[in-house]
């Protein structure tokens, strides 16, 4: 069983989500902190995979929770709280990526925080860094729908049904987007 944000913790339910959101709306100290603790790690991972840069992902995580706090009144419990937060996070990441496409993007930024290679004998690490760099460059070249579906499915481990719910697309469209992303990545990485 893959761990993802839409799978509720043992004993948790939509009723629990609604109760927690209501506690947040009432201004209960610690309620929003509980939401943050429950979902921040997965949302940071999503932002990091979509944006490719730890600093941008940290900033985005703050933006996600600020937006969630502002929009909490719009949560009606039709989906799990985690799904609602994921949808919000995906939309904010996509907005950020769209705004960034007009500016020049330095493709090496995600590696700036990588430790320097200790010596020439560490071939395994060097190969992993090169492979990661190639993958990040290839991901940036994917159309945003394919990239988002790929990251949510192959990196975050969500099911196509959940991706469809988050992205507002049909389950079949999610499958198609992931397939197209894989084919495109295969082509880009084989060069």
């Amino acid at each position: 069983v893959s761990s993802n944000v839409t799978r509720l913790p043992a004993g948790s339910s939509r009723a629990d989500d609604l109760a927690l959101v209501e506690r947040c709306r009432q201004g209960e100290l610690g309620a929003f902190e509980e939401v943050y603790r429950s979902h921040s790690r997965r949302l940071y991972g999503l932002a990091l995979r979509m944006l490719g840069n730890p600093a941008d992902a940290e900033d985005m995580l703050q933006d996600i929770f600020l937006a969630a706090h502002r929009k909490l009144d719009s949560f009606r419990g039709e989906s799990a709280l985690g799904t609602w937060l994921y949808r919000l996070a995906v939309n904010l990441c996509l907005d950020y990526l769209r705004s960034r496409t007009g500016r020049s993007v330095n493709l090496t930024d995600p590696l700036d925080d990588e430790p320097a290679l200790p010596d020439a004998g560490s071939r395994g690490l060097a190969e992993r860094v090169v492979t990661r760099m190639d993958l990040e460059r290839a991901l940036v070249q994917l159309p945003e729908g394919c990239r988002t579906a790929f990251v949510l499915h192959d990196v975050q481990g969500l099911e196509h049904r959940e991706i469809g719910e988050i992205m507002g697309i049909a389950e079949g469209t999610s499958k198609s987007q992931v397939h197209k992303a894989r084919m495109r990545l295969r082509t880009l990485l084989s060069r």
Side-chain angles (χ1 to χ4, degrees), residues 19-174:
L20 179 58
V21 168
E22 188 55 36
R23 289 175 35 218
C24 290
R25 289 176 182 152
Q26 298 298 321
E28 181 182 317
L29 293 174
F32 197 74
E33 184 179 330
E34 189 175 326
V35 172
Y36 181 86
R37 277 194 317 269
S38 297
H39 300 281
S40 62
R41 187 176 47 103
R42 290 183 184 114
L43 293 174
Y44 172 78
L46 171 69
L48 180 61
R49 295 295 180 213
M50 288 188 72
L51 304 179
N53 179 312
D56 288 345
E58 288 172 16
D59 290 344
M60 182 56 64
L61 185 64
Q62 289 179 9
D63 292 346
I64 291 165
F65 279 100
L66 285 172
H69 192 268
R70 279 194 319 270
K71 297 179 180 200
L72 211 50
D73 286 335
S74 71
F75 178 76
R76 295 182 303 278
E78 294 167 358
S79 62
L81 180 59
T83 301
W84 182 80
L85 288 168
Y86 246 62
R87 185 178 303 123
L88 180 65
V90 166
N91 288 336
L92 287 171
C93 287
L94 289 175
D95 288 347
Y96 177 82
L97 289 170
R98 283 184 202 118
S99 73
R100 194 169 76 172
T101 57
R103 301 186 305 261
S104 68
V105 178
N106 182 351
L107 295 176
T108 60
D109 279 350
L111 298 177
D112 288 347
D113 294 329
E114 290 292 320
L117 297 177
D119 59 45
S122 60
R123 266 191 125 47
L125 178 59
E127 288 172 9
R128 283 194 308 268
V129 169
V130 169
T131 302
R132 179 174 168 208
M133 184 171 61
D134 291 343
L135 180 59
E136 287 176 356
R137 286 183 177 152
L139 278 172
V140 169
Q141 295 178 50
L142 293 176
E144 73 182 34
C146 289
R147 178 176 53 233
T148 301
F150 176 83
V151 168
L152 291 175
H153 186 270
D154 286 7
V155 177
Q156 297 293 320
L158 273 68
E159 297 174 13
H160 290 290
R161 173 189 52 78
E162 297 165 317
I163 295 167
E165 194 175 321
I166 288 168
M167 293 179 65
I169 59 176
E171 183 176 336
T173 304
S174 171

